[in-house]
């Protein structure tokens, strides 16, 4: 950027800020500005006896880390050098007055097409900790992802003992086949998703996989020191257990928000979730395994069951020593998952709404649609010869052909409706007595329906898992907001017996709704725009387990969605 350009930008910002100096809030212009240049590229990789081309950012897998401080302005220029559509979602970033930069395809933007460029701009307003970025179109997220590390402002300490070192561990899945083709095959078959061929830790499967004896990620450890591990689950379709042999994990942050410290020996992290843990090197000098394996709460679903392994290696340990194995829970250990959720407590829940304006109840789960194919053996492979779908309040989300945000902003009619119901369309015993003689009684309604919220609405949302096909832990993610998880439990939600935590509930952006249970969240709709909410198991999102909130403008420029950027991609 030239000096004259910098001066013009500075004068423009000064003029704008001066004209709004008397406002009760400040426009989120940011402190320092962090510039990143992302190129969506095809990269050749070799994993588990398999060489193939994958889509990456800047040839990196995982992609580059976005570093910033709380309050910084982040500008990322994304150039698509592949033949595939691309977008980037900044998962967990509040996007205050920057909904245009949120990134989900056909929700806030049209995809960046081959050869095109789009620049994302947003300010990290009152945010710090670990988040992630990932592609948000088709199944491109299977290879396009990376970490966001937001440090506290200069001079502001962590609310826990300062670690000797910090390390990022991005957990993911790997397929020998192309992930975009896998999605197309899934839709064509009407059946379930194939299991991945490996789990990865920072792109490495570890020694338990074929051809991977030396494809191992390693952290060198100084005895007696404490380390901060920033854990990110970027897997496409799998919730994952994590542990380090003979070492305890003290959780101090979840989804970019500090928690009251609590210690576990194992934890579950769902796709889209981030967890920061402190680990002290308090064991005899040696090599210890870091283990990642599957949590599968659904019934009759195939999954990868070989553990990914990295090494937590003390200085002085023999390089040829075998790693001490790290035990993981059995694949369907719901109790370990519950213990982790039970221990999450916010360090500061000062913005928790105690009074509620809008009380919503959403059922979430899978459906079986009737087969209407001329070739049912190939295209109707769900149970009883049906086709898999998924729904919220029995509505399967139909992806529009244009961006919902553009349609809303420009009042383009016919692309969506504003009649998403605040309660289920059908009421029954959701968990235990769900109509499951598929495909006749589990059909859902297809539509691009949105729920409209007035600016400033204090929302409580109950999310209820259903057993229509199978009960399952669903990691539900809300774009543009973090929310307080004020309650959760097993079975059907009962307002007369449900126990809520209105003192220190965790503040997160993704919540695993318990298998065969419910979760209650609260947030204030104080950010105008169109905000996607969906299951972060991409197979479920592909089937339609998603919806969108429209948050209307409030009063004045600081409560009003700005106009779109000039380089907004076109459909």
């Amino acid at each position: 950027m030239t000096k004259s350009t910098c001066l013009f930008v500075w004068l423009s910002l000064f003029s704008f800020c001066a004209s709004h100096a008397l406002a009760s809030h400040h426009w989120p212009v940011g402190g320092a500005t962090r510039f990143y240049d992302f190129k969506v590229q095809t990269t050749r990789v070799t994993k588990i006896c398999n060489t193939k081309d994958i889509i990456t950012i800047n040839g990196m897998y995982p992609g580059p880390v976005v570093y910033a401080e709380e309050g910084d302005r982040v500008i990322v220029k994304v150039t698509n050098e592949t033949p595939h559509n691309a977008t980037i979602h900044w998962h967990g970033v509040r996007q205050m007055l920057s909904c245009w930069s949120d990134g989900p395809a056909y929700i806030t933007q049209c995809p960046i097409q081959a050869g095109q460029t789009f620049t994302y701009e947003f300010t990290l307003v009152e945010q710090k900790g670990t988040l992630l970025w990932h592609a948000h179109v088709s199944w491109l997220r299977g290879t396009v992802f990376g970490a966001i590390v937001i440090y506290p402002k200069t001079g502001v300490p962590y609310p826990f003992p300062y670690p000797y070192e910090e390390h990022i561990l991005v957990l993911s899945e790997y397929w020998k086949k192309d992930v975009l083709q896998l999605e197309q095959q899934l839709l064509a078959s009407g059946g379930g998703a194939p299991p991945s061929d490996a789990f990865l830790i920072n792109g490495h499967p570890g020694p338990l996989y074929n051809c991977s004896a030396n494809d191992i990620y390693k952290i060198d450890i100084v005895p007696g020191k404490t380390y901060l591990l920033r854990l990110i689950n970027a897997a496409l379709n799998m919730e994952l257990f994590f542990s380090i042999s003979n070492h305890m994990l003290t959780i101090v942050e979840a989804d970019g928000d500090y928690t009251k410290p609590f210690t576990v020996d194992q934890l579950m992290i769902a796709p889209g979730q981030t967890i920061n843990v402190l680990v002290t090197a308090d064991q005899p000098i040696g090599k210890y395994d870091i283990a990642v394996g599957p949590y599968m709460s659904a019934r009759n679903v195939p999954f990868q069951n070989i553990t990914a392994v990295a090494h937590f290696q003390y200085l002085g340990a023999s390089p040829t020593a075998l790693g001490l194995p790290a035990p993981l829970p059995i694949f369907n250990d719901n109790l370990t998952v519950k213990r982790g959720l039970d221990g999450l407590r916010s360090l500061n829940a000062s913005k928790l709404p105690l009074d509620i304006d809008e009380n919503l109840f959403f059922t979430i789960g899978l459906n079986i649609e009737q087969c209407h194919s001329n070739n049912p053996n190939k295209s109707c492979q769900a149970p009883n010869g049906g086709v898999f779908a998924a729904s919220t309040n029995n509505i399967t989300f139909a992806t529009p052909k244009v961006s919902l945000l553009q349609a809303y902003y420009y009042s383009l009619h016919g692309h969506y409706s504003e009649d998403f119901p605040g309660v289920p369309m059908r009421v029954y015993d959701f968990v235990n007595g769900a109509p499951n003689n598929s495909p006749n009684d589990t059909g859902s309604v297809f539509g691009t329906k949105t729920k409209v919220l007035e600016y400033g609405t204090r929302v409580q949302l109950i999310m209820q898992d259903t057993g229509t096909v199978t009960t399952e832990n669903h990691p539900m993610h809300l774009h543009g907001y973090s929310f307080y998880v004020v309650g959760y439990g097993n079975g059907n939600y009962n307002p007369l017996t449900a126990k809520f935590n209105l003192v220190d509930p965790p503040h997160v952006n993704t919540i695993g709704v318990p298998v065969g249970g419910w979760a209650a969240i609260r947030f204030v709709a104080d950010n105008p725009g169109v905000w996607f909410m969906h299951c972060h198991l991409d197979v479920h999102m592909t089937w339609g387990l998603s919806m969108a909130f429209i948050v209307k403008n409030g009063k004045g420029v600081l409560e009003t969605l700005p106009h779109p950027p000039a380089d907004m991609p076109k459909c």
Side-chain angles (χ1 to χ4, degrees):
M1 185 180 287
T2 64
K3 290 183 178 179
S4 60
T5 303
C6 288
L7 179 62
F8 173 78
V9 172
W10 184 85
L11 288 173
S12 299
L13 292 177
F14 177 82
S15 173
F16 185 88
C17 292
S19 66
H20 294 82
L22 299 179
S24 59
H25 303 287
H26 296 290
W27 187 268
V29 293
T33 301
R34 312 282 176 169
F35 292 92
Y36 288 88
D37 191 4
F38 278 20
K39 288 182 169 54
V40 188
Q41 299 174 332
T42 301
T43 304
R44 177 145 289 201
V45 298
T46 298
K47 297 285 169 195
I48 57 171
C49 318
N50 170 252
T51 298
K52 69 169 187 175
D53 289 333
I54 63 172
I55 308 302
T56 66
I57 298 296
N58 299 349
M60 300 172 65
Y61 180 57
V65 180
V66 172
Y67 290 101
E69 283 188 3
E70 178 186 359
D72 282 354
R73 185 77 172 167
V74 178
I75 299 177
V76 187
K77 179 183 177 183
V78 178
T79 303
N80 187 1
E81 298 179 351
T82 76
H84 308 288
N85 285 342
T87 71
I88 302 293
H89 168 53
W90 314 94
H91 183 112
V93 172
R94 278 293 316 270
Q95 296 292 359
M96 294 299 295
L97 299 176
S98 55
C99 187
W100 299 105
S101 287
D102 190 43
Y106 302 105
I107 305 299
T108 62
Q109 69 168 96
C110 298
I112 307 168
Q113 298 176 35
Q116 290 186 347
T117 295
F118 177 55
T119 300
Y120 295 89
E121 299 188 36
F122 51 87
T123 300
L124 299 167
V125 179
E126 297 180 0
Q127 289 197 276
K128 48 194 171 290
T130 306
L131 300 171
L132 71 151
W133 58 263
H134 58 77
H136 213 303
V137 59
S138 301
W139 280 13
L140 204 61
R141 184 172 74 80
T143 60
V144 178
F145 52 79
I148 303 173
V149 175
I150 311 167
Y151 292 108
K153 292 180 180 179
T154 303
V156 177
Y158 292 139
F160 46 80
Y162 203 83
Y164 177 70
E165 282 182 354
E166 300 182 12
H167 293 269
I168 299 167
L169 294 178
V170 183
L171 318 178
S172 62
E173 294 175 278
Y174 182 83
W175 281 267
K176 292 181 179 179
K177 290 186 177 180
D178 178 86
V179 290
L180 299 181
Q181 292 178 2
L182 282 174
E183 185 197 26
Q184 294 306 311
Q185 292 172 11
L186 172 93
L187 292 172
S189 73
S196 60
D197 294 300
F199 300 125
L200 306 180
I201 302 173
N202 281 353
H204 302 274
L208 301 184
Y209 289 93
N210 292 335
C211 306
S212 304
N214 298 313
D215 198 354
I216 310 169
Y217 188 76
K218 183 184 69 168
I219 302 175
D220 289 319
I221 299 302
V222 177
K225 300 296 185 181
T226 296
Y227 293 79
L228 179 68
L229 304 184
R230 299 176 180 269
L231 309 181
I232 298 170
N233 187 347
L236 196 69
N237 289 322
M238 281 300 300
E239 299 173 300
L240 296 170
F241 285 118
F242 177 93
S243 73
I244 303 177
S245 57
N246 285 24
H247 290 76
M248 302 301 288
L249 314 169
T250 299
I251 297 174
V252 292
E253 180 203 307
D255 282 5
D257 209 80
Y258 294 135
T259 65
K260 294 176 179 176
F262 78 103
T263 302
V264 297
D265 58 349
Q266 302 162 330
L267 60 83
M268 192 281 283
I269 182 169
Q273 289 183 328
T274 58
I275 299 176
N276 283 7
V277 297
L278 293 175
V279 182
T280 299
D282 55 4
Q283 296 299 304
I285 290 175
K287 184 187 292 184
Y288 298 86
D289 281 358
I290 300 170
V292 171
Y295 169 52
M296 174 52 71
S297 58
R299 297 184 299 273
N300 303 318
V301 176
F303 58 90
Q304 175 58 253
N305 203 23
I306 300 176
T307 302
V309 172
H311 286 150
F312 199 68
Q313 184 166 324
Y314 284 62
L315 293 180
S318 170
T320 59
L322 296 176
L324 184 67
L328 289 173
I330 61 172
F331 71 90
N332 59 355
D333 186 347
N334 298 321
L335 186 58
T336 295
V337 177
K338 182 181 183 302
R339 278 200 302 264
L341 192 54
D342 288 345
L344 276 185
R345 293 286 185 272
S346 178
L347 196 61
N348 180 7
S350 59
K351 296 185 178 180
L352 170 66
L354 298 178
D355 297 317
I356 298 301
D357 303 310
E358 184 96 45
N359 207 337
L360 304 174
F361 188 103
F362 290 178
T363 55
I364 56 174
L366 306 186
N367 305 84
I368 303 293
E369 302 302 322
Q370 290 191 34
C371 179
H372 298 292
S373 169
N374 293 326
N375 195 345
N377 290 335
K378 286 188 176 181
S379 53
C380 300
Q381 296 181 13
N384 295 339
V387 176
F388 271 123
S391 63
T392 308
N393 271 356
N394 222 56
I395 295 169
T396 294
F397 186 80
T399 304
K401 301 298 183 184
V402 302
S403 156
L404 279 184
L405 184 59
Q406 289 172 299
Y408 168 66
Y409 187 82
Y410 291 112
S411 299
L412 304 178
H413 300 292
H415 297 286
Y416 68 95
S417 62
E418 298 182 353
D419 57 348
F420 189 92
V423 295
M425 297 174 65
R426 303 177 186 174
V427 177
Y428 49 87
D429 182 348
F430 298 115
V431 173
N432 306 300
N436 55 12
N437 54 331
S438 55
N440 297 319
D441 296 330
T442 64
S444 54
V445 176
F446 284 75
T448 310
K449 297 177 182 291
T450 64
K451 176 65 180 176
V452 179
L453 299 172
E454 297 291 332
Y455 184 92
T457 300
R458 295 164 296 186
V459 180
Q460 176 171 287
L461 168 59
I462 311 296
M463 288 180 280
Q464 172 71 59
D465 184 30
T466 63
T468 301
V469 176
T470 175
T471 54
E472 185 170 358
N473 186 294
H474 292 280
M476 299 298 295
H477 171 52
L478 175 59
H479 288 225
Y481 290 88
S482 290
F483 48 78
Y484 289 98
V485 182
V486 295
Y488 53 89
N490 294 321
N492 294 306
Y493 172 72
N494 183 340
L496 300 178
T497 59
K499 295 180 179 179
F500 279 15
N501 173 11
L502 300 180
V503 177
D504 57 357
H507 196 225
V508 296
N509 61 63
T510 304
I511 175 62
V513 177
V515 52
W518 57 272
I521 68 172
R522 290 186 180 186
F523 64 96
V524 179
D526 59 358
N527 193 10
V530 177
W531 303 108
F532 207 28
M533 192 181 80
H534 61 90
C535 181
H536 222 274
L537 305 177
D538 270 31
V539 60
H540 292 176
M541 185 172 66
T542 298
W543 287 335
L545 212 175
S546 50
M547 55 83 64
F549 288 104
I550 293 177
V551 178
K552 295 169 68 173
N553 290 331
K555 298 178 180 179
V557 68
L558 296 179
E559 297 178 1
T560 300
L561 178 69
H563 60 76
D567 63 340
M568 203 77 206
K570 293 180 172 56
C571 287

